[in-house]
């Protein structure tokens, strides 16, 4: 009887040992199976096509987490970037840049009684290009984006993200917000341009917009087919104190139209620099 009880005890101990071994074997790899930490946005796999590592505009952080601007979720700080308005009479900015957006959309027109087109505003998505500042692709970004957008069969601004991605202009486009026109909120008449980040980069923040008024404009130095470069200042909203529309491509309407003809949209791209603001 003693021998049989001892055998059962040994067998129970062996079963416990085997169960413990399998438990530890299953638990030990848990940490290794966790998804890897995201790589830096300026490295391989970045949302920005061709953005190399170590971009000078990238914020410095410790550890292996990617640098992040907590206000926008974007990767790179642009406060020290320079707005190039050389060759124009547009004034120098009074505030540091806060956002740089690649605008892709349409300029909209109606045929006036004189047989020429009159602007009825614009509609565009603004894509975050902060991590491309200082890179060789940045200076021609509006041109490569326009080539892709202008050759696309789509005329809907809602498709611009897919157009840029498919053409390799931006590998994973991130929308900062929208640009469109509203009734002037001060006078109650006429149209004023608005940049609205309340649904994208600063989603849920009701103050993340700026309605601006034009202070200065110059003909695009790149040619008559491109809409003017503009300098605008804040009318209301806290997103920015100033807005620059520069490096434009396309957007100009035909020289004449038939009175009564339908309204038209003309594709364009532009770099929008927003300075100052509360974000």
């Amino acid at each position: 009887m003693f021998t049989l009880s001892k055998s059962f005890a040994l067998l129970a101990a062996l079963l416990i040992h085997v169960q413990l071994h399998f438990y530890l074997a299953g638990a030990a790899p848990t940490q290794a199976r966790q998804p890897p930490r995201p790589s830096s946005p300026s490295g391989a796999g970045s949302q920005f096509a061709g953005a190399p590592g170590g971009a000078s505009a990238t914020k410095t952080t410790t550890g292996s987490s990617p640098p992040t601007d907590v206000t926008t979720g974007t990767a790179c700080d642009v406060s020290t970037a320079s707005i190039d308005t050389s060759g124009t009479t547009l004034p120098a900015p009074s505030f540091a840049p806060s956002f740089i957006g690649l605008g892709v959309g349409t300029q909209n027109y109606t045929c006036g009684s004189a047989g020429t087109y009159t602007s009825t505003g614009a509609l565009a998505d603004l894509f975050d290009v902060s991590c491309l500042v200082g890179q060789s692709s940045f200076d021609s970004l509006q041109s490569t984006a326009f080539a892709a957008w202008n050759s696309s069969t789509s005329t809907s601004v809602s498709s611009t993200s897919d157009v840029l991605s498919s053409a390799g202009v931006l590998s994973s486009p991130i929308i900062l917000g929208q640009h469109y026109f509203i009734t002037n909120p001060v006078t109650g008449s006429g149209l004023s341009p608005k940049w609205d980040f309340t649904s994208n980069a600063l989603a849920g923040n009701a103050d993340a917009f700026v309605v601006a008024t034009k202070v200065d404009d110059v003909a695009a130095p790149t040619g008559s087919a491109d809409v003017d470069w503009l300098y605008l200042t804040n009318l209301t909203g806290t997103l920015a104190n100033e807005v620059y529309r520069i490096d434009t491509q396309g957007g100009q309407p035909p020289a004449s139209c038939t009175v009564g003809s339908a309204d038209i949209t003309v594709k364009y791209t532009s770099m929008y620099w927003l300075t100052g603001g509360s974000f």
Side-chain angles (χ1 to χ4, degrees):
M1 179 68 68
F2 173 77
T3 302
L4 184 59
S5 298
K6 185 176 181 180
S7 298
F8 275 116
L10 291 172
L11 179 59
L14 179 60
L15 288 173
I16 291 172
H17 175 77
V18 171
Q19 289 174 335
L20 181 61
H21 172 76
F22 278 105
Y23 170 78
L24 292 175
T30 299
Q31 184 173 3
R33 287 199 299 265
Q34 295 297 318
R37 297 178 69 88
S39 60
S40 168
S42 60
S46 165
Q47 66 239 21
F48 302 100
S56 60
T58 302
K59 288 187 175 181
T60 301
T61 60
T62 58
S64 58
S65 297
T68 301
D69 181 338
V70 296
T71 64
T72 67
T74 61
C76 299
D77 176 29
V78 296
S79 61
T80 60
S82 298
I83 303 174
D84 184 6
T85 58
S86 57
T88 76
T89 57
L90 295 181
S94 299
F95 302 87
S98 303
F99 301 94
I100 306 175
L102 168 64
V104 183
T106 61
Q107 294 288 324
N108 306 325
Y109 299 94
T110 190
C111 186
S113 58
T116 56
Y117 283 106
T118 301
S119 175
T120 56
L123 179 62
D125 275 338
L126 267 66
F127 296 91
D128 183 6
V129 292
S130 59
C131 284
L132 291 179
V133 174
Q135 307 306 321
S136 58
S137 60
F138 183 79
D139 291 339
S140 59
L141 192 57
Q142 69 283 349
S143 298
T144 54
F146 181 72
W149 174 224
N150 198 42
S151 63
S152 169
T153 57
S154 175
T155 58
S156 172
V157 173
S158 64
S159 70
T160 55
S161 181
D162 290 337
V163 169
L164 296 184
S165 178
S166 297
V169 180
L170 298 175
S171 59
S172 297
I174 292 178
I175 297 176
L176 288 171
Q178 287 72 42
H179 168 48
Y180 53 91
F181 278 64
I182 63 170
T183 301
N184 186 301
V186 175
T187 64
S189 62
L191 293 175
S192 294
K194 181 176 182 177
W195 289 263
D196 185 350
F197 289 10
T198 61
S199 296
N200 295 97
L202 296 167
N205 193 320
D207 296 322
F209 72 90
V210 59
V211 178
T213 183
K214 184 176 70 174
V215 174
D216 198 4
D217 69 318
V218 296
T222 46
S224 59
D226 305 328
V227 289
D228 291 354
W229 293 20
L230 306 177
Y231 170 71
L232 309 96
T233 57
N234 179 292
L235 190 61
T236 185
T238 62
L239 183 62
N241 293 89
E242 304 166 303
V243 178
Y244 286 82
R245 183 183 79 184
I246 62 174
D247 298 318
T248 55
Q249 292 280 294
Q252 291 283 21
S256 62
C257 58
T258 302
V259 177
S261 60
D263 293 351
I264 65 168
T265 60
V266 183
K267 292 180 177 181
Y268 86 109
T269 61
S270 173
M271 298 300 293
Y272 287 99
W273 291 67
L274 280 62
T275 74
S278 301
F279 300 95

